[in-house]
């Protein structure tokens, strides 16, 4: 409602100017003022309407098997609160590595999206190319009040600048089929907490019949870093000037791949095949991201009780153990100031408690905002009815650490070479020689020697 205008009483000695004008002139002036006021109101409404149509934010993401439904729920939830912003979701990339390569190509072609979800270990590739926009001015001086703890901020911070915000967090866990464990003579109440014990149990499950497999893990950088962290090792030194996974801990971690194959009969099928085999009830133990809990539970459809167990701790000194935090981070790519405000509003929603509640309930990832954990009104009931998630998220709370990103433009190529070396080890190559050769190759690739 427009404020009421008070009209001053005319002086006895001097009439008001509008009273001295002819009546028809007063009418014309009044009518003109009304028209100007209406025109202004319509102009304001018109600008709002144009803003709603023009502020379109394109969003890139990867791994549709985990994220497709969740991305739609996030976009719908945001647009319900921000009707002047339209979220358009690009066709997804199959994986985070493929997604970053696509973003690099699109940036050269001038067709890059405004916002992108990337692996927590890969946003540095975009920062290195000058594509990720700094976020400090958007976050402001009180990040903690928004639920961004120093630990969470560290996952997207480099050289004292914030380039990314975590949107989901996961660690490597063991998914277990209790039915197969019991058939093989094992017990869920006394489930092994060492790699030796897991391999022994997996071998018994594998021996049940030709259609049943005992264990599976992907030959992938993040999985390898997780095993390495269990032994207390690190892939690089603190200042990222040298490779350190060619240590005894790194060789032991790589050797697990060969032991899984030789001692427990691990098959060399693809990640997609494995993610179908476990919920189908034909795989006893699967080392996989905690983010897949919801998918596996739904896929099992009641055939068995999908159970999550924490990753074994191999180091004698638990203070050295870390499990790299997998999951995704969100980055702003648009340099258009007109779009940046809307892009930030979307990013703040996704990484805020409302968006994180959507992420947790739909994916199984742990939240990346402290408020959603501290305030039980968000996820209290969820944890009460979901003990598997509590196991996974507790592991994150106890042992989460950075997912090391290999620096420079060749960072993605480095992860590809790690995966290839793990395949060689699985198929029989000597773990020590293979890992040491790999380390030397990466030192050259990454300019460390």
């Amino acid at each position: 409602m427009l404020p009421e205008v008070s009209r001053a009483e005319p002086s006895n000695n001097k009439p008001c100017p509008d009273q001295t004008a002819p009546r028809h002139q007063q009418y014309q002036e009044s009518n003109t003022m009304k028209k100007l006021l209406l025109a202004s109101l319509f102009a304001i409404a018109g600008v709002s309407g144009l803003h709603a149509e023009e502020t379109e934010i394109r969003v890139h993401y990867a791994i549709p098997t985990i994220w497709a439904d969740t991305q739609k729920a996030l976009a719908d939830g945001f647009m319900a609160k921000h009707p002047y912003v339209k979220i358009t979701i690009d066709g997804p990339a199959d994986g985070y590595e493929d997604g970053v390569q696509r973003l690099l190509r699109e940036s050269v072609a001038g067709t890059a999206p405004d916002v992108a979800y990337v692996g927590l270990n890969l946003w540095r590739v975009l920062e290195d190319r000058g594509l990720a926009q700094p976020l400090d001015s958007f976050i402001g001086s009180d990040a903690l009040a928004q639920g961004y703890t120093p630990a969470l901020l560290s996952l997207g911070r480099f050289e004292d600048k914030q380039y990314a915000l975590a949107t989901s967090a996961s660690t490597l866990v063991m998914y277990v089929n209790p039915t197969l464990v019991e058939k093989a003579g094992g017990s869920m109440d006394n489930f092994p907490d060492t790699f030796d014990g897991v391999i022994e149990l997996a071998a018994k499950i594998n021996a049940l019949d030709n259609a049943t497999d005992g264990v599976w893990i992907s030959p992938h950088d993040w999985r390898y870093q997780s095993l390495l962290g269990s032994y207390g090792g690190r892939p690089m030194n603190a200042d990222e000037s040298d490779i350190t996974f060619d240590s005894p801990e790194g060789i032991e971690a790589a050797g697990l791949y060969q032991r899984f194959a030789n001692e427990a009969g691990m098959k060399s099928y693809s990640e997609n095949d494995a993610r179908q085999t476990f919920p189908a009830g034909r795989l006893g133990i699967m080392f996989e991201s905690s983010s897949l809990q919801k998918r596996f539970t739904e896929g099992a459809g009641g055939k068995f009780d999908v159970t999550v167990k924490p990753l074994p701790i191999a180091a004698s000194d638990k203070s050295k153990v870390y499990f790299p935090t997998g999951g995704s981070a969100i980055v702003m790519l648009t340099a258009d100031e007109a779009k940046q405000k809307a892009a930030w509003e979307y990013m703040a929603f996704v990484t805020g408690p409302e968006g994180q509640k959507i992420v947790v309930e739909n994916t199984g990832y742990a939240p990346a905002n402290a408020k959603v954990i501290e305030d039980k009104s968000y996820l209290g009931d969820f944890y009460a009815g979901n003990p598997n998630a509590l196991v996974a998220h507790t592991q994150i709370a106890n042992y989460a650490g950075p997912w090391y990103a290999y620096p420079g433009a060749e960072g993605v190529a480095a992860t590809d070479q790690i995966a290839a070396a793990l395949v060689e080890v699985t198929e029989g190559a000597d773990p020590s020689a293979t890992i040491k050769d790999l380390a030397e190759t990466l030192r050259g690739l990454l300019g460390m020697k």
Side-chain angles (χ1 to χ4, degrees), residues 303-326:
K303 294 189 294 291
F304 64 95
D305 183 17
V306 174
T307 302
V308 172
K309 290 290 184 181
L311 200 65
I313 301 296
S316 55
D317 183 355
K318 290 188 177 182
S319 68
K320 294 182 178 180
V321 173
Y322 93 104
F323 295 141
T325 305

Side-chain angles (χ1 to χ4, degrees), residues 192-208:
D193 59 2
T194 66
F195 286 115
D196 287 343
V198 169
I199 290 171
E200 182 180 353
L201 175 59
K204 293 177 180 178
I205 295 172
N206 192 69
L208 288 173

Side-chain angles (χ1 to χ4, degrees), residues 70-409:
T70 306
Q71 287 295 335
K72 184 178 185 305
L74 288 169
D76 289 346
F78 172 78
M79 288 189 290
K81 291 179 173 291
H82 302 81
Y84 55 87
V85 181
K86 178 183 178 182
I87 300 299
T88 298
I89 302 174
D90 286 359
D94 288 338
Y96 288 131
E97 290 84 358
D98 295 338
V100 166
Q101 295 288 11
R102 179 199 292 183
L103 291 171
L104 293 177
R105 291 193 300 270
E106 290 176 338
S107 70
V108 172
T111 59
D114 303 302
V115 168
Y117 293 81
V118 295
L120 276 170
N121 69 324
L122 293 172
W123 63 265
R124 286 278 302 278
V125 176
L126 302 176
E127 178 275 328
D128 187 67
R129 300 291 182 90
L131 301 177
Q133 303 296 314
L135 302 175
D136 302 87
S137 63
F138 296 101
I139 296 172
S141 59
D142 199 355
L144 192 59
Q146 301 170 63
Y148 305 134
T149 65
L152 290 170
L153 290 176
S154 72
L155 299 176
R157 199 163 184 82
F158 178 63
E159 293 187 342
D160 206 30
K161 284 187 179 181
Q162 198 72 35
Y163 290 99
L165 288 172
T167 52
S168 58
S170 66
T171 51
L172 192 70
V173 297
M174 292 186 292
Y175 289 96
V176 180
N177 183 326
T179 302
L180 295 180
V181 169
E182 291 170 6
K183 283 184 178 179
S187 167
M188 293 304 296
D189 292 333
N190 295 300
F191 194 84
D193 59 2
T194 66
F195 286 115
D196 287 343
V198 169
I199 290 171
E200 182 180 353
L201 175 59
K204 293 177 180 178
I205 295 172
N206 192 69
L208 288 173
D209 56 62
N210 292 333
T212 302
D213 296 325
V215 66
W216 188 87
I217 185 172
S218 173
H220 182 276
D221 170 56
W222 178 68
R223 279 81 173 175
Y224 175 60
Q225 282 194 34
S226 299
L227 300 180
L228 174 65
S230 173
Y231 281 92
R234 300 291 187 275
M236 289 185 291
N237 59 7
D239 63 4
E240 300 182 352
S241 62
D242 194 18
I243 297 294
T244 57
F245 62 67
D246 54 347
S247 60
E249 293 84 3
I251 293 168
E252 286 282 345
L256 286 175
Y257 280 86
Q258 194 166 101
R259 293 188 63 194
F260 288 147
N262 291 349
E263 298 175 39
M266 183 174 72
K267 306 293 191 302
S268 296
Y269 38 66
S270 71
E271 188 171 279
N272 284 337
D273 286 343
R275 290 178 177 179
Q276 294 176 32
T277 301
F278 178 77
R282 301 193 305 273
L283 176 60
I285 302 167
M286 185 175 184
F287 288 82
E288 188 54 284
S289 167
S290 58
S291 65
L292 289 168
Q293 178 206 320
K294 185 173 187 290
R295 177 184 171 184
F296 285 163
T297 301
E298 291 177 348
K303 294 189 294 291
F304 64 95
D305 183 17
V306 174
T307 302
V308 172
K309 290 290 184 181
L311 200 65
I313 301 296
S316 55
D317 183 355
K318 290 188 177 182
S319 68
K320 294 182 178 180
V321 173
Y322 93 104
F323 295 141
T325 305
S328 62
I330 192 167
V331 295
M332 182 188 296
L333 300 180
T334 180
D336 184 332
E337 291 184 7
K339 281 196 168 188
Q340 283 187 339
K341 182 178 183 297
W344 170 249
E345 288 177 344
Y346 170 74
M347 295 172 71
F349 174 82
V350 167
T351 59
E354 290 183 78
Q356 287 299 289
K357 182 175 185 290
I358 292 172
V359 169
V360 172
E361 290 180 338
N362 285 275
T363 67
Y365 276 112
N369 186 289
K371 282 187 175 182
V372 81
I373 299 174
E374 295 164 358
D375 188 342
K376 292 186 178 181
S377 67
Y378 288 107
L379 288 171
D381 291 341
F382 175 80
Y383 285 131
N386 202 329
N388 279 337
L390 187 59
V391 169
H393 298 182
T394 299
Q395 177 172 279
I396 291 170
N398 291 337
Y399 297 112
W403 181 358
Y404 282 75
Y406 294 94

